[in-house]
């Protein structure tokens, strides 16, 4: 991985990608950074050099080993197929995730799905990634039948503008004043609040994030008929997504056996007993933290608390892991 392009290098995921690659083992000889026309000419520091950001142009990706796409879905739809003519593209948007000929990859779970890829690989949603990293080892052992998910998602999951909105609103709330949330990328006021909507509702009342977690988990786990009840909620946390999950298996499961499985599960940091992880604990870390493993209402059910840094394992770290697999 010596020649790399990043589209969306000035955004939260693009910047996180640079910070992850910076101390890494890769000898990067050609780094090309792209964003909107607004950012063209901006300089970003990487290792001991400054790199000038260019306006994104598919021709700019010629002769690269890999391109990381950190743009919204409408831009990815237009640009990714053109860039994929030059080099493999790892796309972080939702655009290609459910296409049958595009692998949707979480390396700890389904690395083998990369075989025969056609130069476009999709990176899953930032809530789906920690969910499947934690649940797949249990599924392999006990046979997963159904999931109940409630997510508590940080505002950075909605990009840079959302983080700025939270900071602005926090200042008003600290002074006991009401911020102006008109035009907020998150909809209603988020400071001092909780919003049970992430993306648009469908005809059945499911918000976009609920549909993504349901469909993407089924694809990654290879369980097309998996039953998922998902409620996705935005909370006033800057970084770190949390999930309260109950899994139903095809057999009775003892907590001690589940802990034994999770202890050695790839990508998982387990906290046992009453010790638990919070978003602050996971920030800047590449693991999925699992804690509060306990029996559900039935012997076949287990409940878990899962937390991860949505910008790292939920986005950029997962993409770097995919790139490393592509190189192999
Ligand atoms: N944030 C997360 O936790 C997360 C997790 C998983 C997946 N994702 C997905 O990753 C993608 C990027 O998310 P993000 O959080 O990094 O968003 P962001 O902070 O809003 O950054 C968006 C990036 O897109 C660029 N951009 C915007 N309009 C453009 C245009 N017309 N042409 C070229 N570039 C343009 C921006 O460049 P300028 O600075 O020049 O405007 C910026 O670099 C999205 O598809 C998102 O759904 C995000």
């Amino acid at each position: 991985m010596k020649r790399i392009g990043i589209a969306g290098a000035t955004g939260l995921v693009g910047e996180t990608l640079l910070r992850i690659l910076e101390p890494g083992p890769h000898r990067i000889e050609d780094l090309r950074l792209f964003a909107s026309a607004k950012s063209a000419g901006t300089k970003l520091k990487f290792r001991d050099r400054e790199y000038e950001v260019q306006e994104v142009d598919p021709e700019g990706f010629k002769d690269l080993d890999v391109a990381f796409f950190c743009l919204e879905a409408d831009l990815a739809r237009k640009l990714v197929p053109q860039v994929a003519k030059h080099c493999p593209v790892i796309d972080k948007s939702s655009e290609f995730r459910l296409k049958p000929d595009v692998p949707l990859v979480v390396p700890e779970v389904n690395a083998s799905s990369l075989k025969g890829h056609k130069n476009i690989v999709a990176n899953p949603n930032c809530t789906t990634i920690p969910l499947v990293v934690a649940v797949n080892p249990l599924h392999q052992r006990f046979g997963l039948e159904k999931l109940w998910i409630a997510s508590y998602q940080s505002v950075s999951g909605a990009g840079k503008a959302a983080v700025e909105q939270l900071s602005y609103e926090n200042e008003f709330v600290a002074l006991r004043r009401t911020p102006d949330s008109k035009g907020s990328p998150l909809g209603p006021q988020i400071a001092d609040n909780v919003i049970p909507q992430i993306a648009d509702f469908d005809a059945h009342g499911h918000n976009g994030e609920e549909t993504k977690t349901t469909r993407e988990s089924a694809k990654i786990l290879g369980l097309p008929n998996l039953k998922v009840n998902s409620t996705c909620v935005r909370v006033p946390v800057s970084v770190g997504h949390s999930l309260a999950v109950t899994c139903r298996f095809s057999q009775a499961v003892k907590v001690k056996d589940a802990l034994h499985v999770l202890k050695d599960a790839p990508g998982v940091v387990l906290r046992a007993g009453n010790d638990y992880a919070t978003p602050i604990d996971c920030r800047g870390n590449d693991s999925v933290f699992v804690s509060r493993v306990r029996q559900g209402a039935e012997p076949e059910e287990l409940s878990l608390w899962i937390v991860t840094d949505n910008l790292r394992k939920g986005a950029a770290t997962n993409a770097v892991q995919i790139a490393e697999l592509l190189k192999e």
Side-chain angles (χ1 to χ4, degrees):
M1 206 164 45
K2 290 183 182 162
R3 295 170 292 266
I4 293 176
I6 302 177
T10 53
L12 288 184
V13 177
E15 282 176 353
T16 306
L17 197 49
L18 286 170
R19 297 293 78 81
I20 288 169
L21 291 170
E22 202 154 37
H26 309 285
R27 251 186 57 207
I28 296 169
E29 293 170 358
D30 185 354
L31 176 65
R32 301 182 207 162
L33 306 179
F34 302 91
S36 74
K38 183 188 85 189
S39 299
T42 308
K43 298 219 167 81
L44 295 180
K45 195 160 178 298
F46 180 76
R47 294 182 180 165
D48 54 357
R49 259 194 67 184
E50 285 199 321
Y51 291 81
E52 191 166 305
V53 176
Q54 306 166 48
E55 183 177 359
V56 68
D57 169 10
E59 295 305 302
F61 291 82
K62 275 186 179 156
D63 303 320
L64 291 178
D65 297 326
V66 68
F68 294 98
F69 257 69
C70 319
L71 302 178
E72 288 305 326
D74 54 341
L75 289 165
R77 185 178 315 138
K78 198 173 82 186
L79 296 168
V80 166
Q82 296 181 55
V83 174
K85 289 179 189 153
H86 302 307
C87 64
V89 182
I90 300 168
D91 181 45
K92 307 254 197 357
S93 82
S94 56
E95 178 61 22
F96 300 96
R97 290 178 188 157
L98 298 175
K99 302 247 187 280
D101 59 344
V102 173
L104 178 64
V105 182
V106 178
E108 293 86 344
V109 180
N110 65 341
S112 62
S113 67
L114 276 173
K115 219 188 240 165
H117 72 84
K118 298 176 179 147
N119 264 12
I120 303 178
V121 179
N123 203 63
N125 171 274
C126 43
T127 305
T128 307
I129 292 174
L131 174 69
V132 298
V133 167
V135 162
N136 181 57
L138 297 170
H139 161 57
Q140 295 303 324
R141 174 77 189 278
F142 306 114
L144 184 67
E145 288 187 339
K146 190 170 178 178
L147 287 170
W148 290 260
I149 306 164
S151 76
Y152 305 76
Q153 298 186 216
S154 69
V155 296
S156 59
K160 219 173 210 175
V163 175
E164 284 162 10
Q165 179 72 23
L166 175 64
S167 303
Y168 154 79
E169 291 184 8
N170 274 340
E171 284 180 27
F172 275 77
V173 168
L175 298 170
R176 294 171 197 256
R177 289 169 57 196
T178 305
D180 178 3
S181 302
K182 251 190 262 128
S184 163
L186 299 161
Q189 176 181 326
I190 183 69
D192 199 24
N193 205 4
V194 157
I195 304 173
Q197 179 180 8
I198 303 181
D200 293 336
F201 290 111
D202 68 14
H204 307 285
H206 301 292
N207 73 46
E209 197 81 352
E210 290 160 359
T211 308
K212 284 179 198 170
T213 48
T214 300
R215 294 189 180 156
E216 293 179 23
S217 311
K219 178 168 173 176
I220 298 162
L221 294 168
L223 293 171
N225 299 320
L226 180 68
K227 295 189 178 86
V228 184
N229 294 304
S230 180
T231 302
C232 290
V233 176
R234 189 76 71 195
V235 294
V237 167
S238 58
V239 177
H241 286 1
S242 308
L243 291 133
V245 176
T246 294
C247 314
R248 185 179 173 85
F249 299 98
S250 59
Q251 54 182 289
V253 181
K254 290 205 172 78
V255 169
K256 74 171 173 49
D257 294 335
L259 291 174
H260 190 69
V261 168
L262 288 166
K263 186 168 61 73
D264 298 323
V268 169
V269 170
L270 178 66
R271 295 208 175 165
N274 290 336
D275 188 16
Y276 54 80
T278 67
I280 286 177
D281 300 323
C282 76
R283 263 175 225 168
N285 198 296
D286 291 316
S287 299
V288 172
F289 289 74
V290 180
S291 54
R292 301 206 57 216
V293 180
R294 60 207 188 277
Q295 203 75 58
E298 304 285 345
E300 297 82 9
E301 291 169 8
L302 277 181
S303 295
L304 325 166
W305 175 247
I306 303 168
V307 183
T308 207
D309 183 326
N310 52 292
L311 296 173
R312 292 184 71 102
K313 182 55 188 165
T317 303
N318 198 70
V320 172
Q321 289 175 300
I322 294 173
E324 284 165 351
L325 287 174
L326 287 176
K327 196 181 80 180
E328 282 167 24

